[in-house]
Amino acid sequence: MDSQSSVGRPVDGQSVATDSQWHAMTLEEIYESLESSSDGLSEDTAKRRLDRYGQNELELEDAVSPFRVFLEQLTSLLIWLLLLAAAIMVVVGQHLDAGLIVAVVFLITFFGFVQDYRAEQSITALRDLSTRDAIVIRDGEKVALDSRNVVPGDLVRITGGDIIPADGRVVSESNLDVDESPLTGESVAVTKSTAVLPKATPLAERRNMVYKDTIATSGAATVVVTDTGMDTEVGSIATALEAAAVQQTPFQIEMDRLAKTIALGVALAVGIVAAVEIFVGETDLLTIFLAAVSIAVAAVPEGMPAVVTLSLALGARRMAAKNALVRRLPIAEALGSVDVICTDKTGTLTEEEMTVQRLYAGGDVYEFADGESWLEQAALDDEPVHPLCVRDVLKCGLLCNDADIGRRESGDRSYLGEPTEVALFAAASKAGMNPLECRAAYPRLDELEFTSTRKRMTTVHRTPDGDAIAYVKGAPEVVLERCDRELIGGEVRELSTERRREITKHIETFAEDALRVLGFAYRPVEDTSSPASEAIENELVFLGLQGMLDPPRSEVPAAIDGCQEAGIDVTMITGDNPVTARAIGERIGVANETVLTGGDIEGMDEDELRAAVASTAIFARTTPEHKVRILQTLQELGHTVAMTGDGVNDAPAVKNANVGVSMGIRGTDVTEQASDIVLLDDNFATIHDAVREGRRIFDNVRKFVNYLLSGNAGLVLSIFTGSVAGLGLIITPLQVLWINLVTESAPALTMGIDPEAEDVMERPPRPIDEGVITDRILTSIVGIAVFMMVTILPLFYLHRSNLELAQTMVFTSLIVFEGVRIQAIRWRYELGVLSNPWLVVAVGVTFALQLVILYTPIGTLFGVTPLGAVHWLQIGVSVAVFVVLIGVFVRVQDRVFDRY
């Protein structure tokens, strides 16, 4: 896809060529246009450009607008209903009541605004937590910095496996191949060059350009950045994701359906009350109207959207503290249903940090322990050794190596380079070698680069005594094939056929133990006057082997065991070879009786694949297309799937998963935008923690939905029954508003931070079609409503001769009931009264506010009268009856329904 830009990018005040011309310019012209050089930018220049052009990221989401959040509060039908009621009261002369209703409406609106805005800010803040590093050259020195801080004119160092951070022109390259399929649709990696191309060259044929979020599959290159952020080619692809419809979760659909049901119920209840009072009773029209308003106010849980949103946002904060960034708040609902996690291997199940674990030299095998002084820890038959032959192999791995020590954006020194080479570099360092001194003592004279066809790399060095030596590393079988001698005990000996078989056997043993094996050799070089050729890679002296492992993360086995206890299957999908995948699976506890490869999948029809997917936990040598097919098959089998991904090509699988999970460290911007959750540490254990936190969040959402709806149902039923029974208005609209305000704010909100139930990860996943409101919760809502009605109406009836006192009794008893109902709901989760101190405080404050209304002049505004000891005793008896009824009802429920 060609860029449509026709305006040049201004760099530090001047306009330069458009991105469609970079491929047609010489490097000198590009450097001049970008005001850069072969030493890269200076730090000061880079900072100015970062301020001018902004960060190198995709900006797909609008910034939070307080005004928009405020306007959303006014879309509630309840708000307009209350304002209409206030206007009618003004017309009939009830100015004080009208003013108080407007005041309470303001408080409800303000509360909703604060909660929604805080939630929006939480998500905005969480989005900024993920980052990815890039190696750039600043002032002539390699620097590892946040890829978002890459600017036009930067020189970026790219090696095989890197995700390219920005669009750029290739300055120099060594067999660089790049997978550009997300942009061009070409499945074959593109080999890059530095040659100047004609202006009319289409994007798919621009061999001298690289593009943001494509992947370097092999080789290395230095690139000068031409475009960043939304100006890149992949930016146009990412923008298309913004237009994609975001699917509603079952929770959101359920809440929408619930709102419609409530609205219909309110209309029906109001119609019945009005008809009864008009045609049967003797109530005046104003009282009928107030009764209707009271029912509407009592029925609609106006605080629920804000409470749900903020509770999810607080949960997202907790998940972010555990390195799981939640991009869509309602995803907590889906997390509770996940029963299969499809995960990558490298970096997610493993450390993504290659370390040398085993070394073969001088005819012996040495095991290395993790530590800072490996040479002292090298062991042969459990005895520490200090063999010179070990140093020879390590020195070869250090010199025939492009890894280096540079600095990070923070200023800290660090290893920089491809993971395998960093492992060899670190192994030599930990063995006591000084890499800088060693490289200074053996300066590099020439090199033959590693390629996928050669499978080896050779460097030529000057020795301290003035001679020249070639060091070779590569695939062990390739290196061994080119050797005719070996170094044993400091002596060069002929490499016999028997010794070749023995070495080959060690290579196979290393591989079976999931080690990546490299072979090492050397030979003296007599003539250094001409460029090195492959001729110097013959007649080599074999030095030994180094076996490296990307070890499983220490916390992963326990996390997988926890998932399995929770009824969640774990499936490993990796591009690695089946032997390594099986070995890692054995170490972490993933079932591995069968390992399927991408080739196996391609040869299966749909029925065969369904059977295979149902019984296979490890897939190796897979592509993103295989991953999508596995996902779709699992979903067809009825599973709720969490799918991880990092590359641009993983975006479809991540986007279509029930819970899409992207990698925050090695993931691409596009995949992050397609995901629901970003793992800031790329760690599988974080997925396990996210599921645990998601279940806790959902439990809490379910609890306060139960709490809010049962209370509102009780109010509606009491008002409705009182009106139909001829008792009149048992509670005023203003009192109902107050109850909703104080009970749907702090108490409901603090339920959102309830601790998790002890069995939260012992239950099976919640079925995908099971909503927030289960049959048990629905019967609880109905039961609580009935029990509230039968215990409250007698209080009103007892004092019906004094309307103000009767309404005060109902008003106060409902406040007390709210606190009782909260704990009744929490008991089912085996949560003690003091397990959530904030909830205790919230209930206490609610009760204290009620006392203020009862025993201060404020009470006149609410039409209440102070209560005496007898009245409190009557309320206490009513509450006791309510508790007994609830207790009996729960026992009955336990016999009929599951616990939750």
Side-chain angles (χ1 to χ4, degrees):
M1 170 174 45
D2 290 327
S3 173
Q4 301 302 311
S5 173
S6 60
V7 180
R9 172 191 286 278
V11 173
D12 295 345
Q14 76 179 58
S15 179
V16 302
T18 67
D19 56 354
S20 61
Q21 295 177 338
W22 296 119
H23 60 282
M25 299 171 65
T26 65
L27 291 179
E28 291 75 14
E29 291 173 333
I30 290 175
Y31 280 142
E32 181 179 358
S33 296
L34 294 171
E35 297 180 10
S36 185
S37 71
S38 59
D39 288 331
L41 301 176
S42 68
E43 287 289 352
D44 289 340
T45 300
K47 288 179 181 178
R48 287 197 303 271
R49 293 189 182 180
L50 186 62
D51 291 338
R52 183 179 181 90
Y53 302 116
Q55 290 193 315
N56 173 36
E57 59 185 349
L58 305 179
E59 302 171 356
L60 296 185
E61 298 168 4
D62 296 332
V64 178
S65 167
F67 182 66
R68 174 178 59 81
V69 175
F70 176 76
L71 287 181
E72 287 176 354
Q73 310 307 310
L74 301 179
T75 60
S76 170
L77 178 63
L78 171 69
I79 295 298
W80 292 104
L81 178 62
L82 292 175
L83 292 177
L84 175 62
I88 294 175
M89 288 183 175
V90 169
V91 172
V92 299
Q94 302 289 329
H95 297 91
L96 180 59
D97 286 349
L100 289 175
I101 288 177
V102 171
V104 174
V105 166
F106 172 79
L107 289 176
I108 292 173
T109 304
F110 178 74
F111 173 77
F113 167 76
V114 170
Q115 308 316 321
D116 285 357
Y117 188 60
R118 284 182 61 189
E120 291 278 1
Q121 286 183 314
S122 294
I123 295 304
T124 300
L126 291 172
R127 269 204 320 264
D128 296 333
L129 292 179
S130 59
T131 183
R132 188 169 73 239
D133 280 352
I135 305 298
V136 304
I137 299 174
R138 296 267 174 92
D139 296 314
E141 183 181 17
K142 290 181 180 179
V143 181
L145 51 74
D146 186 334
S147 62
R148 294 178 299 182
N149 294 334
V150 169
V151 297
D154 261 329
L155 286 184
V156 178
R157 182 64 181 170
I158 296 169
T159 57
D162 284 353
I163 299 169
I164 295 171
D167 288 5
R169 170 69 182 273
V170 178
V171 173
S172 63
E173 58 82 28
S174 176
N175 302 299
L176 179 68
D177 289 339
V178 180
D179 177 7
E180 295 183 344
S181 56
L183 290 175
T184 65
E186 295 288 342
S187 58
V188 178
V190 178
T191 300
K192 296 297 180 177
S193 72
T194 59
V196 179
L197 300 173
K199 290 184 179 181
T201 305
L203 182 129
E205 299 176 13
R206 295 179 188 174
R207 306 285 180 173
N208 60 5
M209 296 291 295
V210 295
Y211 300 100
K212 178 177 172 65
D213 284 347
T214 55
I215 301 171
T217 57
S218 63
T222 299
V223 172
V224 59
V225 174
T226 56
D227 292 286
T228 59
M230 295 302 290
D231 293 324
T232 61
E233 293 290 342
V234 77
S236 60
I237 292 180
T239 302
L241 285 176
E242 188 178 22
V246 178
Q247 295 183 351
Q248 284 192 316
T249 66
F251 175 67
Q252 292 171 309
I253 296 171
E254 185 179 6
M255 289 299 101
D256 289 343
R257 185 170 61 247
L258 178 62
K260 295 175 182 177
T261 302
I262 290 175
L264 180 61
V266 168
L268 183 61
V270 168
I272 293 174
V273 169
V276 170
E277 294 295 346
I278 291 174
F279 297 108
V280 179
E282 300 178 354
T283 310
D284 60 272
L285 290 177
L286 178 59
T287 302
I288 294 174
F289 174 76
L290 292 178
V293 171
S294 297
I295 290 175
V297 171
V300 181
E302 65 274 3
M304 190 163 67
V307 172
V308 169
T309 301
L310 186 58
S311 177
L312 293 174
L314 293 174
R317 285 282 191 176
R318 285 170 59 102
M319 293 172 74
K322 298 178 181 179
N323 293 315
L325 186 157
V326 178
R327 298 189 66 257
R328 289 207 299 141
L329 289 182
I331 205 62
E333 182 273 337
L335 277 171
S337 297
V338 168
D339 60 358
V340 176
I341 298 175
C342 294
T343 175
D344 295 325
K345 176 184 71 68
T346 303
T348 307
L349 299 174
T350 63
E351 296 282 2
E352 198 183 19
E353 183 175 323
M354 301 292 290
T355 57
V356 174
Q357 302 283 313
R358 194 178 300 169
L359 186 146
Y360 174 81
D364 293 315
V365 175
Y366 301 91
E367 301 286 346
F368 289 89
D370 292 333
E372 292 300 323
S373 184
W374 283 11
L375 193 58
E376 284 73 13
Q377 295 184 41
L380 177 63
D381 297 330
D382 297 325
E383 294 294 329
V385 293
H386 306 270
L388 183 62
C389 58
V390 171
R391 283 188 176 275
D392 289 333
V393 176
L394 293 172
K395 182 169 67 175
C396 179
L398 172 63
L399 295 175
C400 188
N401 193 325
D402 287 329
D404 204 348
I405 297 178
R407 65 180 173 87
R408 299 202 171 273
E409 203 168 5
S410 61
D412 297 335
R413 311 301 290 182
S414 177
Y415 294 128
L416 303 176
E418 193 271 328
T420 300
E421 294 202 326
V422 167
L424 300 174
F425 192 98
S429 300
K430 292 177 180 179
M433 298 182 184
N434 185 307
L436 299 182
E437 291 180 0
C438 186
R439 287 182 171 180
Y442 290 81
R444 185 181 295 188
L445 304 178
D446 207 345
E447 67 180 278
L448 295 172
E449 291 284 347
F450 176 89
T451 68
S452 57
T453 54
R454 284 169 35 82
K455 296 184 179 180
R456 63 189 182 275
M457 173 183 179
T458 299
T459 54
V460 181
H461 300 264
R462 181 71 64 192
T463 65
D465 58 11
D467 295 330
I469 188 171
Y471 284 112
V472 182
K473 80 169 190 292
E477 63 277 6
V478 172
V479 173
L480 183 62
E481 182 184 6
R482 293 173 173 271
C483 295
D484 59 6
R485 292 162 292 164
E486 64 176 326
L487 187 66
I488 298 287
E491 297 181 1
V492 177
R493 303 178 183 178
E494 181 182 354
L495 187 59
S496 65
T497 301
E498 182 180 350
R499 289 287 299 132
R500 285 183 186 275
R501 291 197 190 100
E502 185 177 334
I503 294 171
T504 300
K505 184 176 180 180
H506 284 297
I507 293 172
E508 294 171 351
T509 301
F510 279 30
E512 289 172 357
D513 291 336
L515 298 177
R516 180 176 184 185
V517 191
L518 290 180
F520 299 85
Y522 80 96
R523 66 164 287 175
V525 177
E526 297 179 357
D527 181 14
T528 59
S529 60
S530 58
S533 67
E534 292 190 359
I536 65 171
E537 296 174 329
N538 297 318
E539 301 178 350
L540 300 175
V541 179
F542 183 76
L543 288 173
L545 307 170
Q546 290 192 59
M548 289 156 283
L549 177 69
D550 181 9
R553 293 176 181 263
S554 59
E555 63 274 21
V556 164
I560 289 178
D561 185 59
C563 286
Q564 292 169 345
E565 287 184 359
I568 302 171
D569 293 328
V570 178
T571 298
M572 181 200 302
I573 305 177
T574 177
D576 215 332
N577 68 73
V579 174
T580 301
R582 185 191 300 274
I584 293 295
E586 290 177 349
R587 294 188 180 208
I588 62 177
V590 174
N592 62 339
E593 290 81 2
T594 302
V595 177
L596 288 182
T597 66
D600 296 332
I601 293 173
E602 290 173 0
M604 293 179 178
D605 60 28
E606 296 306 315
D607 290 337
E608 291 172 331
L609 183 59
R610 276 193 289 269
V613 166
S615 60
T616 304
I618 300 177
F619 296 87
R621 292 298 189 210
T622 58
T623 66
E625 290 75 18
H626 298 142
K627 182 176 287 190
V628 171
R629 196 174 173 197
I630 293 169
L631 166 68
Q632 292 172 341
T633 302
L634 285 167
Q635 290 175 327
E636 289 172 4
L637 292 172
H639 293 288
T640 303
V641 185
M643 174 70 74
T644 71
D646 49 20
V648 176
N649 277 345
D650 287 333
V654 170
K655 184 79 172 178
N656 290 292
N658 301 94
V659 178
V661 182
S662 63
M663 303 296 111
I665 296 176
R666 69 182 191 277
T668 62
D669 292 341
V670 172
T671 307
E672 288 181 8
Q673 291 291 341
S675 67
D676 304 300
I677 295 176
V678 180
L679 301 185
L680 303 181
D681 57 359
D682 291 11
N683 190 345
F684 176 84
T686 302
I687 304 176
H688 171 268
D689 291 341
V691 172
R692 173 186 291 273
E693 185 64 23
R695 290 189 177 190
R696 185 194 71 85
I697 292 171
F698 187 77
D699 275 356
N700 291 341
V701 169
R702 177 171 274 173
K703 277 184 286 186
F704 61 68
V705 166
N706 186 354
Y707 166 71
L708 294 178
L709 295 184
S710 62
N712 287 15
L715 261 173
V716 169
L717 186 60
S718 298
I719 296 170
F720 176 79
T721 305
S723 297
V724 172
L727 297 179
L729 195 61
I730 68 168
I731 189 171
T732 68
L734 185 59
Q735 291 169 350
V736 173
L737 274 176
W738 175 257
I739 291 173
N740 283 1
L741 180 64
V742 298
T743 61
E744 294 185 8
S745 54
L749 181 60
T750 51
M751 287 182 75
I753 57 174
D754 254 357
E756 64 188 39
E758 290 185 2
D759 67 342
V760 70
M761 290 299 283
E762 296 173 6
R763 312 173 208 155
R766 182 173 50 81
I768 189 64
D769 58 351
E770 178 184 286
V772 176
I773 302 175
T774 60
D775 290 342
R776 174 158 188 160
I777 290 179
L778 183 60
T779 59
S780 292
I781 292 171
V782 174
I784 289 173
V786 172
F787 299 150
M788 285 178 65
M789 183 265 292
V790 300
T791 51
I792 285 174
L793 287 185
L795 292 175
F796 184 88
Y797 186 80
L798 183 63
H799 300 281
R800 67 188 182 282
S801 59
N802 183 340
L803 180 61
E804 187 176 57
L805 176 59
Q807 290 177 334
T808 302
M809 291 291 286
V810 171
F811 181 34
T812 304
S813 61
L814 284 169
I815 293 291
V816 177
F817 276 31
E818 299 293 340
V820 174
R821 282 192 311 104
I822 283 179
Q823 190 53 39
I825 292 170
R826 298 175 75 246
W827 277 335
R828 188 182 303 165
Y829 297 83
E830 297 183 353
L831 298 175
V833 174
L834 301 180
S835 62
N836 185 346
W838 289 108
L839 180 58
V840 175
V841 171
V843 172
V845 168
T846 298
F847 187 70
L849 290 173
Q850 184 66 15
L851 294 180
V852 169
I853 290 177
L854 290 176
Y855 299 108
T856 69
I858 296 177
T860 58
L861 300 177
F862 286 86
V864 299
T865 185
L867 299 179
V870 173
H871 302 133
W872 283 109
L873 179 60
Q874 292 169 348
I875 291 176
V877 170
S878 179
V879 170
V881 173
F882 178 74
V883 171
V884 170
L885 291 173
I886 288 293
V888 173
F889 185 65
V890 168
R891 299 269 184 167
V892 174
Q893 284 185 309
D894 288 339
R895 292 176 177 272
V896 179
F897 302 108
D898 293 332
R899 181 177 171 188
Y900 300 105

